[in-house]
Amino acid sequence: GASAVKPPLAALLDRVAQGQRNQATRVRIAAPLDAGARTAALGQERAASTRDYLVAHGIAVNRVAALTVSSGDVLEITVVD
């Protein structure tokens, strides 16, 4: 579906997971609202799919924050200390 992690994003997430797996950092995922959507559901699903992918690849769930933002048109992934 529209919220599934596609191969180009999966390749990036694989590098993030590999680099952050044994670190004490936190990962913030900000998924934009769909321009035509009336609810935040698709943005929430995209953020959750991205979080779930990272968790499945070794990042502890308590280190990943997934949220929906009202501005922007790209998924943003931020790694912070």
Side-chain angles (χ1 to χ4, degrees), residues 21 35 66:
R21 190 171 296 129

Side-chain angles (χ1 to χ4, degrees), residues 3-73:
S3 65
V5 173
K6 310 274 188 300
L9 178 57
L12 173 73
L13 294 177
D14 288 342
R15 291 193 306 267
V16 171
Q18 182 177 12
Q20 300 304 312
R21 190 171 296 129
N22 297 315
Q23 304 298 319
T25 55
R26 298 184 69 77
V27 180
R28 178 182 175 265
I29 301 161
L33 296 174
D34 187 39
R38 295 182 183 188
T39 69
L42 183 56
Q44 290 168 344
E45 290 171 11
R46 287 178 176 150
S49 292
T50 303
R51 178 201 59 223
D52 294 347
Y53 188 95
L54 288 173
V55 169
H57 287 81
I59 303 295
V61 69
N62 64 341
R63 292 180 45 215
V64 184
L67 54 111
T68 305
V69 294
S70 60
S71 62
D73 58 354

